[in-house]
Amino acid sequence: MPIGEFGRPPEMPAEVSPSMTAPMYWMYEMAQASLNPARAITDATRMLFQNPLNPWAHTELGKSVAAGCELFERTTRRYAKPEWGLHETEVNGVRTPIEIRSVWEKPFCRLLHFDRMHTRPLRVPQQRLLLVAPMSGHYATLLRGTVEAFMPTHDVYITDWSDARMVPVAEGRFDLDDFVDYLIEMLHVLGGNVHVIAVCQPSVPLLAAVSVMEAERDPYVPLSMTLMGGPIDTRKNPTAVNNLAAERGTDWFRNNVITKVPFPHPGVMRDVYPGFLQLNGFISMNFDRHMKAHKSLFENLVKGDGDLVDKHRDFYDEYLAVMDLTAEYYLQTVDLVFVKHALPEGEMTHRGRLVEPSKITRVALMTIEGEKDDISGLGQTEAAHALCTSIPNNRRTHYVQKDVGHYGVFNGSRFRSEIVPRINDFMQSNARQPA
């Protein structure tokens, strides 16, 4: 999430009042609407100067005009939810088509199944894997590479969180307790015999959900849980993002970044932490890097370097697509995880009942961290082992991946070549629960 996940809230003076925050979303919508004519004209100009029948299209000036028009269009666009773009995978050396189906749905989430359409049954059935995507501003498609890496060896499911501005107020609230309830319901739907991986922020609610299920001796607890770059205890090696939450406190975020969804979105009048504010925070953390990337885009468009242009488009189509978070979920997470440290302090509750990770006995635990993670510092995820005292030592492990940051923990070449094989081995060795 923007606190403890991929970015931070925009810098605002402490004296900004709620009266300034409340109409923020409405002003943003008006600004977007006012840009539409300029964007239409710019797009038409781009097509004119890219038309091979136009002699100017083959000149340095013409290419520069077209590149500038595309740059303007891309930097003023509101990016929609990306497509998964996963159509096939390779299972045991056989190319296998994929059908993405929703197998469970509630107002704030769908459970998607990447159903591999085998032409013949597998000799040895592969294990099922539930990926818990972060509800952190970006869509679940941010884990496209994670899904792709596990599909050849596992039957993969993923949580597809909804954009809060698309959920009507009549559907009710969604907070951290609801997040835990959703995870428990999904595990019940899957019926046990499943491994779970929580990527980043959902490490806390997953650990809470498994703790609640173990306390009730629920038969549908997962076989194993893997926590990757999660903020279990942000007091360990706190990062700048962690310190920001501790310094500002929950009330500052409530007064400065929470606003209401405007008409005509289905979630009109719902209190949210809007995606455009989150995007401001994402970009402000590495502003110079983003400026250089867009300068390079302009230069590559003029040169006609299609490969580099496509890489830029693919990355930013995903990175700039953001969703709104419900205010109650965001504020409760900031308060309990980053300000009060409720889980490691032994004070976290779910529906009024104490969350006790020490009750976990049947679920194997793996934690993974990135050596250069500047969002969830080293030791923050490993702290889960100190809380889960009843898990036998032979059913737990911790791994630190060298030379990767936060994003590299769950995506990229080192993730595929070094982290995925270790997770596969861990899940395979814990394919059965102890009696």
Side-chain angles (χ1 to χ4, degrees):
M1 54 181 294
I3 288 292
E5 189 60 38
F6 301 110
R8 63 183 180 190
E11 297 294 341
M12 295 183 182
E15 62 271 13
V16 171
S17 68
S19 62
M20 286 294 292
T21 306
M24 196 182 303
Y25 212 144
W26 304 78
M27 291 187 288
Y28 171 77
E29 291 291 337
M30 287 190 289
Q32 284 289 318
S34 68
L35 281 170
N36 284 339
R39 292 183 67 254
I41 293 172
T42 303
D43 206 32
T45 305
R46 177 186 62 81
M47 289 188 288
L48 174 65
F49 280 90
Q50 287 181 337
N51 190 328
L53 298 179
N54 182 355
W56 286 97
H58 308 286
T59 66
E60 187 79 9
L61 175 62
K63 293 176 181 178
S64 297
V65 171
C69 289
E70 175 164 342
L71 204 60
F72 176 82
E73 191 277 331
R74 290 189 63 83
T75 53
T76 57
R77 179 197 307 176
R78 171 182 275 175
Y79 288 78
K81 180 180 179 179
E83 297 293 331
W84 282 100
L86 299 175
H87 306 292
E88 62 177 13
T89 187
E90 186 173 303
V91 182
N92 296 337
V94 178
R95 301 303 299 177
T96 306
I98 298 166
E99 180 181 335
I100 304 176
R101 299 185 295 109
S102 174
V103 296
W104 175 90
E105 188 169 350
K106 278 205 164 183
F108 291 93
C109 186
R110 295 185 303 163
L111 180 61
L112 298 183
H113 180 207
F114 295 87
D115 194 1
R116 300 167 302 173
M117 312 302 290
H118 299 292
T119 55
R120 63 183 66 180
L122 296 175
R123 282 187 174 183
V124 180
Q126 294 181 332
Q127 296 175 325
R128 294 183 300 167
L129 172 62
L130 169 60
L131 286 171
V132 185
M135 191 178 187
S136 58
H138 284 108
Y139 293 95
T141 51
L142 190 71
L143 302 190
R144 184 184 295 103
T146 318
V147 173
E148 196 170 16
F150 284 109
M151 279 197 300
T153 54
H154 290 82
D155 192 14
V156 180
Y157 298 78
I158 195 169
T159 57
D160 185 28
W161 302 106
S162 304
D163 187 340
R165 74 171 177 262
M166 304 304 293
V167 183
V169 175
E171 297 290 355
R173 293 162 42 92
F174 183 87
D175 59 16
L176 195 56
D177 284 337
D178 294 309
F179 197 123
V180 173
D181 289 337
Y182 273 36
L183 293 182
I184 294 174
E185 283 194 39
M186 291 179 205
L187 290 170
H188 282 196
V189 168
L190 294 176
N193 293 319
V194 62
H195 299 273
V196 185
I197 296 177
V199 179
C200 314
Q201 165 268 328
S203 296
V204 173
L206 175 61
L207 185 55
V210 174
S211 300
V212 170
M213 296 175 75
E214 282 280 43
E216 298 176 352
R217 303 305 296 171
D218 193 315
Y220 297 121
V221 291
L223 299 169
S224 73
M225 59 177 169
T226 301
L227 312 180
M228 306 177 69
I232 301 297
D233 188 350
T234 58
R235 297 171 300 181
K236 298 181 179 296
N237 291 321
T239 63
V241 176
N242 302 148
N243 291 332
L244 179 69
E247 292 169 5
R248 295 289 172 86
T250 310
D251 288 339
W252 186 91
F253 293 97
R254 180 181 291 107
N255 293 332
N256 290 281
V257 302
I258 302 302
T259 184
K260 291 187 182 294
V261 176
F263 181 81
H265 300 297
V268 58
M269 299 308 292
R270 178 181 291 282
D271 286 329
V272 296
Y273 178 23
F276 69 89
L277 275 184
Q278 298 169 57
L279 189 56
N280 183 303
F282 300 156
I283 293 176
S284 67
M285 289 190 71
N286 298 286
F287 184 73
D288 290 342
R289 185 189 304 173
H290 293 298
M291 288 293 291
K292 290 177 182 177
H294 283 77
K295 180 183 177 182
S296 297
L297 171 64
F298 178 87
E299 294 170 350
N300 291 325
L301 284 168
V302 174
K303 289 189 299 184
D305 193 332
D307 289 341
L308 292 177
V309 168
D310 288 341
K311 286 181 180 179
H312 178 100
R313 288 171 178 161
D314 290 343
F315 175 78
Y316 278 98
D317 284 353
E318 188 77 54
Y319 186 80
L320 298 177
V322 289
M323 54 186 272
D324 295 355
L325 305 179
T326 62
E328 55 273 14
Y329 163 77
Y330 176 72
L331 293 173
Q332 190 178 11
T333 303
V334 169
D335 186 50
L336 294 180
V337 178
F338 300 100
V339 177
K340 294 180 178 176
H341 313 289
L343 184 59
E345 286 283 359
E347 298 173 356
M348 185 174 181
T349 61
H350 172 256
R351 305 297 181 194
R353 181 174 179 177
L354 189 65
V355 173
E356 300 176 274
S358 60
K359 298 284 188 181
I360 301 175
T361 59
R362 296 172 291 166
V363 183
L365 172 64
M366 182 178 193
T367 53
I368 299 173
E369 296 178 331
E371 181 186 30
K372 299 181 178 179
D373 194 333
D374 59 350
I375 302 298
S376 295
L378 278 176
Q380 292 186 10
T381 311
E382 186 184 12
H385 291 279
L387 302 177
C388 302
T389 54
S390 300
I391 300 177
N393 289 334
N394 64 340
R395 288 175 57 78
R396 64 166 80 221
T397 187
H398 176 67
Y399 176 68
V400 176
Q401 177 59 53
K402 301 292 184 181
D403 300 321
V404 301
H406 189 71
Y407 190 76
V409 171
F410 58 90
N411 219 329
S413 59
R414 289 183 182 273
F415 167 73
R416 292 188 297 270
S417 63
E418 300 184 44
I419 295 178
V420 170
R422 286 178 168 85
I423 297 177
N424 285 338
D425 289 344
F426 171 75
M427 291 190 293
Q428 186 63 40
S429 63
N430 291 281
R432 295 183 180 181
Q433 287 177 348

